[in-house]
Coordinates of all heavy atoms in Angstrom, one line a residue:
M1 N -16.1 -48.0 -5.7 CA -16.0 -46.9 -4.8 C -17.4 -46.4 -4.2 O -18.3 -46.2 -5.0 CB -15.4 -45.7 -5.5 CG -15.2 -44.5 -4.8 SD -14.0 -43.5 -5.8 CE -13.9 -42.0 -5.2
P2 N -17.5 -46.5 -2.9 CA -18.9 -46.2 -2.5 C -19.2 -44.7 -2.5 O -18.3 -43.9 -2.4 CB -18.7 -46.7 -0.9 CG -17.3 -46.7 -0.6 CD -16.6 -46.9 -1.9
A3 N -20.4 -44.4 -2.6 CA -20.8 -43.0 -2.7 C -20.9 -42.4 -1.3 O -21.1 -43.0 -0.3 CB -22.3 -42.9 -3.3
Q4 N -20.5 -41.1 -1.2 CA -20.5 -40.4 0.0 C -21.6 -39.4 0.0 O -21.8 -38.7 -0.9 CB -19.1 -39.6 0.1 CG -19.0 -39.0 1.5 CD -17.6 -38.3 1.7 OE1 -16.9 -38.2 0.7 NE2 -17.3 -38.0 2.9
I5 N -22.4 -39.5 1.1 CA -23.6 -38.6 1.1 C -23.2 -37.4 2.0 O -22.7 -37.6 3.1 CB -24.8 -39.4 1.8 CG1 -25.1 -40.7 0.9 CG2 -26.0 -38.6 2.1 CD1 -26.2 -41.7 1.5
L6 N -23.6 -36.3 1.5 CA -23.4 -35.1 2.2 C -24.8 -34.7 2.9 O -25.7 -34.7 2.2 CB -23.0 -34.0 1.3 CG -21.6 -34.1 0.7 CD1 -21.3 -33.0 -0.3 CD2 -20.5 -34.2 1.7
T7 N -24.7 -34.3 4.1 CA -25.8 -33.8 4.8 C -25.8 -32.2 4.8 O -24.8 -31.6 4.6 CB -25.9 -34.4 6.2 OG1 -24.8 -33.8 6.9 CG2 -25.8 -35.9 6.2
T8 N -26.8 -31.7 5.2 CA -26.9 -30.2 5.4 C -25.9 -29.8 6.6 O -25.4 -28.7 6.5 CB -28.4 -29.7 5.8 OG1 -28.8 -30.4 6.9 CG2 -29.3 -29.9 4.6
D9 N -25.7 -30.6 7.5 CA -24.7 -30.3 8.6 C -23.3 -30.2 8.0 O -22.5 -29.3 8.3 CB -24.8 -31.3 9.7 CG -26.1 -31.2 10.5 OD1 -26.6 -30.0 10.5 OD2 -26.6 -32.2 11.2
D10 N -23.1 -31.1 7.1 CA -21.7 -31.1 6.4 C -21.5 -29.7 5.6 O -20.5 -29.2 5.8 CB -21.6 -32.4 5.6 CG -21.4 -33.6 6.2 OD1 -21.1 -33.6 7.3 OD2 -22.0 -34.7 5.6
L11 N -22.5 -29.4 5.0 CA -22.5 -28.2 4.1 C -22.3 -27.0 5.0 O -21.6 -26.0 4.7 CB -23.7 -28.1 3.2 CG -23.9 -29.0 2.1 CD1 -25.1 -29.0 1.3 CD2 -22.7 -28.9 1.1
Y12 N -23.1 -27.0 6.1 CA -23.0 -25.8 7.0 C -21.6 -25.8 7.6 O -21.0 -24.7 7.8 CB -24.0 -26.0 8.1 CG -24.2 -24.9 9.1 CD1 -24.6 -23.7 8.8 CD2 -23.5 -25.0 10.4 CE1 -24.7 -22.5 9.6 CE2 -23.5 -24.0 11.4 CZ -24.1 -22.8 11.0 OH -24.1 -21.7 11.8
E13 N -21.0 -26.8 8.0 CA -19.7 -26.9 8.5 C -18.6 -26.4 7.4 O -17.7 -25.6 7.8 CB -19.3 -28.4 9.0 CG -18.0 -28.4 9.7 CD -17.7 -29.8 10.3 OE1 -18.6 -30.6 10.7 OE2 -16.5 -30.2 10.1
F14 N -18.8 -26.8 6.3 CA -17.9 -26.3 5.2 C -18.1 -24.8 5.0 O -17.1 -24.1 4.9 CB -18.3 -27.1 3.9 CG -17.6 -26.5 2.7 CD1 -16.2 -26.8 2.5 CD2 -18.2 -25.8 1.8 CE1 -15.6 -26.2 1.4 CE2 -17.6 -25.2 0.7 CZ -16.3 -25.4 0.4
K15 N -19.3 -24.3 5.1 CA -19.5 -22.9 5.0 C -18.8 -22.1 6.1 O -18.1 -21.1 5.8 CB -20.9 -22.6 5.0 CG -21.3 -21.1 5.0 CD -22.9 -20.9 5.0 CE -23.2 -20.1 6.2 NZ -24.6 -19.8 6.4
L16 N -18.9 -22.6 7.3 CA -18.2 -22.0 8.4 C -16.7 -21.9 8.2 O -16.1 -20.9 8.4 CB -18.6 -22.6 9.7 CG -20.0 -22.5 10.2 CD1 -20.3 -23.1 11.5 CD2 -20.3 -20.9 10.5
E17 N -16.2 -23.1 7.8 CA -14.8 -23.1 7.5 C -14.2 -22.2 6.5 O -13.3 -21.4 6.7 CB -14.3 -24.5 7.2 CG -14.3 -25.6 8.3 CD -14.0 -27.0 7.9 OE1 -13.5 -27.2 6.8 OE2 -14.4 -27.9 8.6
L18 N -15.0 -22.1 5.4 CA -14.7 -21.2 4.3 C -14.8 -19.8 4.7 O -13.9 -19.0 4.4 CB -15.7 -21.4 3.2 CG -15.5 -20.7 1.9 CD1 -14.1 -21.1 1.3 CD2 -16.5 -21.0 0.8
L19 N -15.7 -19.4 5.4 CA -15.9 -18.0 5.9 C -14.8 -17.7 6.8 O -14.2 -16.6 6.8 CB -17.2 -17.8 6.6 CG -18.4 -17.7 5.8 CD1 -19.7 -17.7 6.6 CD2 -18.4 -16.4 4.9
N20 N -14.4 -18.5 7.8 CA -13.3 -18.2 8.6 C -11.9 -18.1 7.8 O -11.2 -17.2 8.1 CB -13.0 -19.4 9.6 CG -14.1 -19.4 10.7 OD1 -14.7 -18.3 10.9 ND2 -14.4 -20.5 11.3
E21 N -11.7 -18.9 6.7 CA -10.5 -18.7 5.9 C -10.5 -17.4 5.2 O -9.5 -16.7 5.1 CB -10.3 -19.8 4.9 CG -10.0 -21.1 5.7 CD -9.7 -22.3 4.7 OE1 -9.4 -22.1 3.5 OE2 -9.9 -23.5 5.0
L22 N -11.7 -17.0 4.7 CA -11.8 -15.8 4.0 C -11.6 -14.5 4.9 O -10.9 -13.5 4.6 CB -13.2 -15.6 3.3 CG -13.5 -16.6 2.0 CD1 -14.8 -16.5 1.5 CD2 -12.6 -16.1 1.0
R23 N -12.2 -14.6 6.1 CA -12.0 -13.6 7.0 C -10.5 -13.4 7.5 O -9.9 -12.3 7.6 CB -12.8 -13.7 8.5 CG -14.2 -13.5 8.2 CD -15.0 -13.7 9.5 NE -16.5 -13.6 9.3 CZ -17.3 -14.4 9.6 NH1 -17.0 -15.6 10.1 NH2 -18.6 -14.2 9.4
A24 N -9.8 -14.5 7.6 CA -8.4 -14.4 7.9 C -7.7 -13.8 6.7 O -6.6 -12.9 7.0 CB -7.9 -15.8 8.1
L25 N -7.9 -14.2 5.5 CA -7.2 -13.6 4.3 C -7.5 -12.1 4.1 O -6.6 -11.3 4.1 CB -7.7 -14.4 3.0 CG -7.2 -15.7 2.8 CD1 -7.8 -16.3 1.6 CD2 -5.7 -15.6 2.5
F26 N -8.7 -11.7 4.4 CA -9.0 -10.3 4.2 C -8.5 -9.4 5.4 O -8.0 -8.3 5.2 CB -10.6 -10.1 4.1 CG -11.1 -10.3 2.8 CD1 -12.1 -11.4 2.6 CD2 -10.6 -9.7 1.7 CE1 -12.5 -11.7 1.3 CE2 -11.3 -10.0 0.4 CZ -12.1 -11.0 0.3
G27 N -8.4 -10.1 6.6 CA -8.0 -9.3 7.8 C -6.4 -9.2 7.6 O -5.8 -8.1 7.9
A28 N -5.6 -10.2 7.0 CA -4.2 -10.0 6.7 C -4.0 -8.9 5.7 O -3.0 -8.1 5.8 CB -3.6 -11.2 6.3
H29 N -4.8 -8.9 4.8 CA -4.7 -7.9 3.7 C -4.9 -6.5 4.3 O -4.3 -5.5 3.9 CB -5.6 -8.1 2.4 CG -5.6 -7.1 1.4 ND1 -4.5 -7.1 0.6 CD2 -6.5 -6.2 1.0 CE1 -4.7 -6.1 -0.3 NE2 -5.9 -5.5 -0.1
H30 N -5.9 -6.3 5.1 CA -6.3 -5.0 5.7 C -5.2 -4.5 6.5 O -4.9 -3.4 6.5 CB -7.7 -5.1 6.3 CG -8.0 -3.9 7.0 ND1 -8.5 -2.8 6.2 CD2 -8.2 -3.5 8.3 CE1 -8.7 -1.8 7.1 NE2 -8.6 -2.2 8.3
Q31 N -4.6 -5.4 7.3 CA -3.6 -5.0 8.2 C -2.3 -4.4 7.5 O -1.7 -3.5 8.0 CB -3.1 -6.1 9.1 CG -4.2 -6.4 10.2 CD -3.9 -7.6 11.0 OE1 -2.9 -8.3 10.8 NE2 -4.8 -7.9 12.0
S32 N -2.0 -5.1 6.4 CA -0.7 -4.8 5.6 C -1.0 -3.4 5.0 O 0.0 -2.7 4.6 CB -0.5 -5.8 4.6 OG -1.5 -5.8 3.6
Q33 N -2.2 -3.0 4.7 CA -2.4 -1.6 4.1 C -3.1 -0.7 5.0 O -4.0 0.1 4.5 CB -3.2 -1.9 2.8 CG -2.4 -2.7 1.7 CD -3.2 -2.6 0.4 OE1 -4.2 -2.2 0.3 NE2 -2.5 -3.3 -0.6
S34 N -2.9 -0.8 6.3 CA -3.7 0.0 7.2 C -3.2 1.5 7.3 O -4.0 2.4 7.6 CB -3.5 -0.6 8.7 OG -2.2 -0.5 9.0
K35 N -2.0 1.7 6.8 CA -1.6 3.2 7.0 C -1.7 3.9 5.6 O -1.2 3.4 4.6 CB -0.1 3.2 7.3 CG 0.3 4.3 8.2 CD 1.6 4.2 8.8 CE 1.7 5.2 9.8 NZ 3.2 5.3 10.3
K36 N -2.6 4.9 5.5 CA -2.7 5.7 4.4 C -1.7 6.8 4.2 O -1.4 7.1 3.0 CB -4.2 6.2 4.3 CG -4.5 6.9 3.0 CD -5.9 7.2 2.8 CE -6.3 8.2 1.8 NZ -5.6 7.9 0.5
W37 N -1.4 7.4 5.3 CA -0.5 8.6 5.2 C 0.9 8.3 5.9 O 0.8 7.7 6.9 CB -1.1 9.8 5.9 CG -2.4 10.2 5.0 CD1 -3.7 9.9 5.3 CD2 -2.5 11.1 4.0 NE1 -4.5 10.4 4.5 CE2 -3.9 11.2 3.6 CE3 -1.5 11.8 3.2 CZ2 -4.3 11.9 2.5 CZ3 -2.0 12.5 2.2 CH2 -3.2 12.7 1.8
L38 N 1.9 8.8 5.3 CA 3.2 8.7 5.9 C 3.8 10.0 6.2 O 3.6 10.9 5.4 CB 4.2 7.8 4.9 CG 3.8 6.5 4.5 CD1 4.7 5.9 3.6 CD2 3.7 5.6 5.7
K39 N 4.6 10.0 7.3 CA 5.3 11.4 7.6 C 6.7 11.3 6.9 O 7.0 10.3 6.3 CB 5.6 11.5 9.1 CG 4.4 11.6 10.0 CD 4.7 11.7 11.4 CE 3.5 11.9 12.3 NZ 4.0 12.2 13.7
S40 N 7.2 12.5 6.7 CA 8.5 12.8 6.0 C 9.5 11.7 6.4 O 10.2 11.1 5.5 CB 9.1 14.1 6.2 OG 8.1 15.0 5.7
S41 N 9.7 11.4 7.6 CA 10.7 10.5 8.1 C 10.5 9.1 7.5 O 11.4 8.4 7.2 CB 11.0 10.5 9.6 OG 9.7 10.1 10.2
E42 N 9.2 8.7 7.5 CA 8.8 7.4 6.9 C 9.0 7.2 5.5 O 9.6 6.3 5.0 CB 7.4 7.1 7.3 CG 7.2 7.0 8.8 CD 5.7 7.0 9.2 OE1 4.9 7.8 8.6 OE2 5.2 6.1 10.0
V43 N 8.8 8.3 4.8 CA 9.0 8.4 3.4 C 10.4 8.4 3.0 O 10.9 7.6 2.1 CB 8.3 9.7 2.7 CG1 8.7 9.7 1.2 CG2 6.9 9.6 2.9
R44 N 11.3 9.1 3.7 CA 12.7 9.1 3.5 C 13.3 7.7 3.7 O 14.1 7.3 3.0 CB 13.4 10.2 4.4 CG 13.1 11.6 4.1 CD 14.0 12.6 4.7 NE 14.4 12.1 6.1 CZ 13.9 12.6 7.2 NH1 12.9 13.5 7.2 NH2 14.4 12.3 8.3
R45 N 12.8 7.1 4.8 CA 13.2 5.7 5.1 C 12.8 4.7 4.1 O 13.7 3.8 3.6 CB 12.8 5.3 6.4 CG 13.6 4.3 7.2 CD 13.2 3.9 8.7 NE 11.9 4.2 9.0 CZ 11.5 5.3 9.9 NH1 12.4 6.2 10.3 NH2 10.3 5.5 10.2
L46 N 11.6 4.8 3.6 CA 11.1 4.0 2.6 C 11.8 4.1 1.2 O 12.1 3.0 0.6 CB 9.5 4.3 2.4 CG 8.8 3.6 1.3 CD1 8.7 2.1 1.7 CD2 7.4 4.2 0.9
L47 N 12.0 5.4 0.8 CA 12.7 5.5 -0.5 C 14.3 5.7 -0.4 O 14.9 5.8 -1.4 CB 12.2 6.9 -1.0 CG 10.7 6.9 -1.3 CD1 10.3 8.3 -1.9 CD2 10.3 5.7 -2.3
N48 N 14.8 5.7 0.9 CA 16.1 5.7 1.1 C 16.8 7.1 0.4 O 17.7 6.9 -0.3 CB 16.9 4.5 0.6 CG 18.3 4.5 1.2 OD1 18.6 5.0 2.2 ND2 19.2 3.8 0.3
I49 N 16.1 8.2 0.9 CA 16.5 9.5 0.3 C 16.8 10.4 1.5 O 16.3 10.2 2.5 CB 15.5 10.1 -0.7 CG1 14.1 10.2 0.0 CG2 15.3 9.2 -1.9 CD1 13.1 10.9 -0.8
S50 N 17.5 11.5 1.1 CA 17.8 12.5 2.2 C 16.6 13.5 2.3 O 15.8 13.6 1.5 CB 19.1 13.3 1.7 OG 18.7 14.0 0.6
P51 N 16.7 14.4 3.4 CA 15.6 15.3 3.6 C 15.7 16.4 2.4 O 14.6 16.8 2.1 CB 16.0 16.0 4.9 CG 16.8 15.0 5.7 CD 17.5 14.2 4.6
G52 N 16.8 16.8 1.9 CA 16.9 17.6 0.8 C 16.3 17.1 -0.5 O 15.6 17.7 -1.2
T53 N 16.5 15.8 -0.7 CA 15.8 15.2 -1.9 C 14.3 15.1 -1.8 O 13.6 15.4 -2.7 CB 16.4 13.7 -2.1 OG1 17.8 13.7 -2.2 CG2 15.8 13.0 -3.3
L54 N 13.9 14.8 -0.5 CA 12.4 14.8 -0.3 C 11.8 16.2 -0.5 O 10.7 16.4 -1.1 CB 12.0 14.4 1.1 CG 10.6 14.2 1.3 CD1 9.9 13.2 0.4 CD2 10.3 13.6 2.8
Q55 N 12.5 17.2 -0.1 CA 12.1 18.6 -0.3 C 12.0 18.9 -1.8 O 11.1 19.5 -2.3 CB 13.1 19.6 0.4 CG 12.6 21.0 0.2 CD 13.5 22.0 1.0 OE1 14.5 21.6 1.5 NE2 13.2 23.3 0.9
M56 N 13.1 18.4 -2.6 CA 13.1 18.7 -4.0 C 11.9 18.0 -4.7 O 11.3 18.6 -5.5 CB 14.4 18.2 -4.6 CG 14.5 18.4 -6.0 SD 15.8 17.5 -6.8 CE 15.3 15.8 -6.7
L57 N 11.4 16.8 -4.2 CA 10.4 16.1 -4.8 C 9.1 16.9 -4.5 O 8.1 16.9 -5.3 CB 10.4 14.8 -4.2 CG 11.5 13.7 -4.7 CD1 11.2 12.5 -3.9 CD2 11.5 13.6 -6.2
R58 N 9.0 17.6 -3.3 CA 7.9 18.4 -3.0 C 7.8 19.7 -4.0 O 6.8 20.0 -4.5 CB 7.9 18.9 -1.7 CG 7.4 17.8 -0.6 CD 7.1 18.5 0.8 NE 8.2 19.3 1.3 CZ 9.2 18.9 2.2 NH1 9.3 17.6 2.4 NH2 10.1 19.9 2.5
V59 N 9.0 20.4 -4.0 CA 9.1 21.7 -4.7 C 8.8 21.5 -6.2 O 8.1 22.3 -6.8 CB 10.5 22.3 -4.6 CG1 10.7 23.4 -5.5 CG2 10.7 22.8 -3.1
N60 N 9.4 20.4 -6.8 CA 9.1 20.2 -8.3 C 7.9 19.4 -8.5 O 7.6 19.1 -9.7 CB 10.3 19.7 -8.9 CG 10.6 18.2 -8.5 OD1 9.8 17.5 -8.0 ND2 11.8 17.8 -8.9
E61 N 7.0 19.3 -7.4 CA 5.7 18.7 -7.5 C 5.8 17.2 -8.1 O 4.7 16.7 -8.7 CB 4.7 19.5 -8.3 CG 4.6 20.9 -7.8 CD 3.6 21.7 -8.6 OE1 3.2 21.4 -9.7 OE2 3.3 23.0 -8.1
T62 N 6.9 16.6 -7.9 CA 6.9 15.1 -8.3 C 6.1 14.3 -7.3 O 5.5 13.3 -7.7 CB 8.4 14.6 -8.3 OG1 9.1 15.5 -9.2 CG2 8.5 13.1 -8.6
L63 N 6.2 14.6 -6.0 CA 5.4 13.9 -5.0 C 4.5 14.8 -4.3 O 4.9 15.8 -3.6 CB 6.5 13.4 -3.9 CG 6.1 12.3 -3.0 CD1 5.5 11.1 -3.6 CD2 7.3 11.9 -2.1
P64 N 3.3 14.5 -4.4 CA 2.2 15.3 -3.9 C 2.2 15.1 -2.3 O 2.6 14.0 -1.8 CB 0.9 14.8 -4.4 CG 1.2 13.5 -5.0 CD 2.6 13.4 -5.3
Y65 N 1.7 16.1 -1.6 CA 1.9 16.1 -0.1 C 0.7 16.9 0.6 O 0.0 17.7 -0.2 CB 3.1 16.5 0.4 CG 3.4 18.0 0.1 CD1 3.1 19.0 1.0 CD2 3.9 18.4 -1.1 CE1 3.3 20.3 0.7 CE2 4.3 19.7 -1.3 CZ 3.9 20.7 -0.6 OH 4.2 22.0 -0.7
S66 N 0.5 16.7 1.8 CA -0.4 17.6 2.6 C 0.4 18.2 3.7 O 1.3 17.4 4.3 CB -1.7 16.9 3.1 OG -2.5 16.5 2.0
K67 N 0.2 19.4 4.2 CA 0.8 19.9 5.3 C -0.1 20.3 6.3 O -1.1 21.1 6.1 CB 1.6 21.0 4.9 CG 2.6 21.7 6.0 CD 3.5 22.8 5.5 CE 4.3 23.3 6.7 NZ 5.2 24.4 6.2
I68 N 0.1 19.8 7.6 CA -0.8 20.2 8.6 C 0.1 20.7 9.7 O 1.0 19.9 10.3 CB -1.7 18.9 9.1 CG1 -2.6 18.5 8.1 CG2 -2.5 19.3 10.4 CD1 -3.3 17.3 8.4
G69 N 0.0 22.0 10.1 CA 0.9 22.6 11.0 C 2.4 22.5 10.4 O 2.5 23.1 9.3
G70 N 3.2 22.1 11.0 CA 4.6 22.0 10.4 C 4.9 20.6 10.0 O 6.0 20.3 9.6
T71 N 4.0 19.8 9.9 CA 4.3 18.3 9.5 C 3.7 18.0 8.0 O 2.6 18.3 7.8 CB 3.6 17.4 10.4 OG1 4.0 17.6 11.8 CG2 3.9 15.9 10.2
F72 N 4.6 17.4 7.3 CA 4.2 17.0 5.9 C 3.7 15.6 6.0 O 4.3 14.7 6.5 CB 5.4 17.1 5.0 CG 5.9 18.5 4.7 CD1 7.0 19.0 5.4 CD2 5.2 19.2 3.7 CE1 7.3 20.3 5.2 CE2 5.7 20.6 3.5 CZ 6.7 21.0 4.1
F73 N 2.7 15.2 5.2 CA 2.1 13.9 5.1 C 2.0 13.6 3.6 O 1.7 14.4 2.7 CB 0.7 13.9 5.7 CG 0.7 14.1 7.2 CD1 0.5 15.2 7.7 CD2 0.9 13.0 8.0 CE1 0.4 15.5 9.0 CE2 1.0 13.1 9.5 CZ 0.7 14.4 10.0
Y74 N 2.3 12.3 3.3 CA 2.4 11.8 1.9 C 1.5 10.7 1.8 O 1.5 9.6 2.6 CB 3.7 11.4 1.5 CG 4.8 12.6 1.7 CD1 5.4 12.7 2.9 CD2 5.1 13.4 0.7 CE1 6.3 13.8 3.2 CE2 6.0 14.4 0.9 CZ 6.6 14.6 2.1 OH 7.5 15.7 2.3
D75 N 0.7 10.5 0.8 CA -0.3 9.5 0.6 C 0.5 8.4 0.0 O 1.2 8.5 -1.0 CB -1.4 10.0 -0.5 CG -2.5 9.0 -0.7 OD1 -2.3 7.7 -0.3 OD2 -3.5 9.3 -1.2
V76 N 0.3 7.1 0.6 CA 1.0 5.9 0.2 C 0.7 5.5 -1.3 O 1.6 5.2 -2.0 CB 0.6 4.7 1.2 CG1 1.1 3.5 0.6 CG2 1.1 5.0 2.5
H77 N -0.5 5.7 -1.7 CA -0.9 5.4 -3.1 C -0.2 6.4 -4.0 O 0.1 6.0 -5.1 CB -2.5 5.6 -3.3 CG -3.1 4.5 -2.4 ND1 -2.8 3.1 -2.5 CD2 -3.9 4.6 -1.4 CE1 -3.6 2.4 -1.7 NE2 -4.3 3.3 -0.9
A78 N 0.0 7.6 -3.6 CA 0.6 8.5 -4.6 C 2.2 8.1 -4.6 O 2.7 8.3 -5.7 CB 0.6 10.1 -4.0
I79 N 2.8 7.8 -3.6 CA 4.2 7.3 -3.6 C 4.3 6.1 -4.5 O 5.2 6.0 -5.4 CB 4.7 7.1 -2.2 CG1 4.7 8.2 -1.4 CG2 6.0 6.3 -2.3 CD1 5.0 7.9 0.1
E80 N 3.3 5.2 -4.4 CA 3.4 4.0 -5.3 C 3.2 4.2 -6.8 O 3.8 3.7 -7.6 CB 2.2 3.0 -4.8 CG 2.5 2.3 -3.5 CD 1.3 1.5 -3.0 OE1 0.2 1.6 -3.5 OE2 1.5 0.9 -1.9
A81 N 2.2 5.3 -7.0 CA 2.0 5.7 -8.5 C 3.2 6.4 -8.9 O 3.6 6.1 -10.1 CB 0.8 6.7 -8.4
V82 N 3.9 7.2 -8.2 CA 5.3 7.8 -8.7 C 6.3 6.8 -9.0 O 6.9 6.8 -10.1 CB 5.8 8.8 -7.7 CG1 7.1 9.3 -8.0 CG2 4.8 10.0 -7.5
L83 N 6.3 5.7 -8.1 CA 7.3 4.7 -8.3 C 7.0 3.9 -9.5 O 7.8 3.4 -10.3 CB 7.4 3.8 -7.1 CG 8.1 4.5 -5.9 CD1 8.0 3.6 -4.6 CD2 9.5 4.7 -6.2
A84 N 5.7 3.6 -9.7 CA 5.2 2.8 -10.7 C 5.5 3.4 -12.2 O 5.8 2.8 -13.2 CB 3.8 2.6 -10.7
K85 N 5.5 4.8 -12.2 CA 5.8 5.6 -13.4 C 7.4 5.5 -13.8 O 7.8 5.9 -14.8 CB 5.5 7.1 -13.2 CG 4.0 7.3 -13.3 CD 3.8 8.8 -13.2 CE 2.4 9.2 -13.0 NZ 2.1 10.6 -12.8
G86 N 8.2 5.0 -12.8 CA 9.6 4.9 -13.1 C 10.3 6.2 -13.0 O 11.4 6.5 -13.5
I87 N 9.9 7.1 -12.0 CA 10.5 8.4 -11.8 C 11.6 8.3 -10.9 O 11.5 7.6 -9.8 CB 9.4 9.4 -11.3 CG1 8.4 9.7 -12.3 CG2 10.1 10.7 -10.8 CD1 7.3 10.7 -11.8
H88 N 12.8 8.7 -11.3 CA 14.0 8.7 -10.5 C 13.9 9.9 -9.5 O 13.9 11.0 -10.0 CB 15.2 8.8 -11.5 CG 16.4 8.3 -10.8 ND1 17.2 9.3 -10.0 CD2 17.1 7.2 -10.6 CE1 18.3 8.7 -9.5 NE2 18.3 7.4 -9.9
P89 N 14.0 9.6 -8.3 CA 14.0 10.7 -7.3 C 15.0 11.8 -7.4 O 14.8 13.0 -7.2 CB 14.2 10.1 -5.9 CG 14.3 8.6 -6.2 CD 14.2 8.4 -7.6
N90 N 16.2 11.5 -8.0 CA 17.2 12.5 -8.2 C 17.2 13.2 -9.4 O 17.7 14.3 -9.6 CB 18.7 11.9 -8.1 CG 18.9 11.3 -6.7 OD1 18.4 11.8 -5.8 ND2 19.6 10.3 -6.6
K91 N 16.4 12.8 -10.4 CA 16.2 13.6 -11.7 C 14.9 14.1 -11.9 O 14.8 15.0 -12.7 CB 16.6 12.5 -12.8 CG 18.0 11.9 -12.8 CD 19.0 13.0 -13.1 CE 20.4 12.4 -13.1 NZ 21.5 13.3 -13.0
G92 N 13.8 13.6 -11.4 CA 12.5 14.1 -11.5 C 11.9 13.7 -12.9 O 11.0 14.5 -13.3
R93 N 12.5 12.8 -13.6 CA 11.8 12.5 -14.9 C 11.9 11.0 -15.0 O 12.7 10.3 -14.2 CB 12.7 13.1 -16.0 CG 14.1 12.8 -16.0 CD 14.9 13.5 -17.1 NE 16.1 13.1 -17.1 CZ 17.1 13.5 -17.9 NH1 16.9 14.2 -18.8 NH2 18.4 12.9 -17.8
S94 N 11.3 10.4 -16.0 CA 11.1 8.9 -16.1 C 12.5 8.4 -16.7 O 13.1 9.2 -17.3 CB 9.9 8.5 -16.9 OG 10.2 8.9 -18.3
Q95 N 12.7 7.1 -16.5 CA 13.9 6.5 -17.0 C 13.8 6.5 -18.6 O 14.8 6.5 -19.3 CB 14.0 5.0 -16.5 CG 14.3 5.1 -15.0 CD 14.4 3.7 -14.5 OE1 14.2 2.6 -15.2 NE2 14.9 3.5 -13.2
K96 N 12.6 6.5 -19.0 CA 12.5 6.5 -20.5 C 12.9 7.8 -21.1 O 13.6 7.8 -22.2 CB 10.9 6.2 -20.9 CG 10.7 6.2 -22.3 CD 9.1 6.1 -22.6 CE 8.7 5.0 -23.3 NZ 7.3 4.9 -23.6
D97 N 12.7 8.9 -20.4 CA 13.0 10.2 -20.9 C 14.6 10.3 -20.8 O 15.3 11.1 -21.5 CB 12.4 11.3 -20.1 CG 11.0 11.4 -20.3 OD1 10.5 11.0 -21.3 OD2 10.2 11.9 -19.4
A98 N 15.3 9.7 -19.9 CA 16.7 9.8 -19.6 C 17.4 9.1 -20.7 O 18.6 9.3 -20.9 CB 17.0 9.1 -18.2
Q99 N 16.8 8.2 -21.4 CA 17.6 7.5 -22.5 C 17.6 8.2 -23.8 O 17.2 9.0 -24.1 CB 16.9 6.1 -22.8 CG 16.9 5.1 -21.6 CD 16.1 3.9 -21.9 OE1 15.4 3.8 -23.0 NE2 16.3 3.0 -21.0

């Protein structure tokens, strides 16, 4: 098997290809998480809940929010954290507590 010799041009070309692939990967990741705040309608659609249930989640402080004017905003990371805890939106407690 003959030896293959790499030149500095080959390494430079490899570097450019690698950088382009990394940029594409990070760009796709950034676009998928571009929205930090969701409005009430988006949260209701995401969680498939009614306006009353969303209000209950606000009132019992299960889901943190910010209010600007008459519009409620919810942090995407806070929603993910609540879901990760296993909190059932209709009960306001974890599934572990329900057993």
Side-chain angles (χ1 to χ4, degrees):
M1 182 168 170
Q4 188 175 12
I5 299 174
L6 293 175
T7 65
T8 54
D9 289 336
D10 293 332
L11 291 174
Y12 182 74
E13 187 176 322
F14 172 73
K15 177 181 119 177
L16 292 177
E17 288 176 19
L18 183 61
L19 284 173
N20 287 334
E21 287 184 33
L22 288 173
R23 284 185 187 122
L25 285 173
F26 284 117
H29 178 71
H30 179 69
Q31 287 174 356
S32 68
Q33 295 187 0
S34 62
K35 217 169 185 184
K36 179 172 173 40
W37 295 95
L38 299 176
K39 291 183 179 181
S40 294
S41 60
E42 295 168 314
V43 174
R44 290 194 327 263
R45 204 170 25 253
L46 176 70
L47 299 178
N48 194 26
I49 58 176
S50 69
T53 301
L54 184 56
Q55 180 181 3
M56 183 192 66
L57 293 173
R58 283 194 311 267
V59 169
N60 68 15
E61 298 179 355
T62 301
L63 192 58
Y65 65 92
S66 294
K67 184 176 180 183
I68 300 174
T71 306
F72 292 97
F73 293 93
Y74 304 84
D75 186 345
V76 171
H77 297 297
I79 295 169
E80 290 172 353
V82 168
L83 291 174
K85 287 181 186 177
I87 293 179
H88 190 277
N90 292 331
K91 300 293 182 191
R93 58 183 184 179
S94 69
Q95 291 177 358
K96 185 188 237 184
D97 294 338
Q99 294 177 351

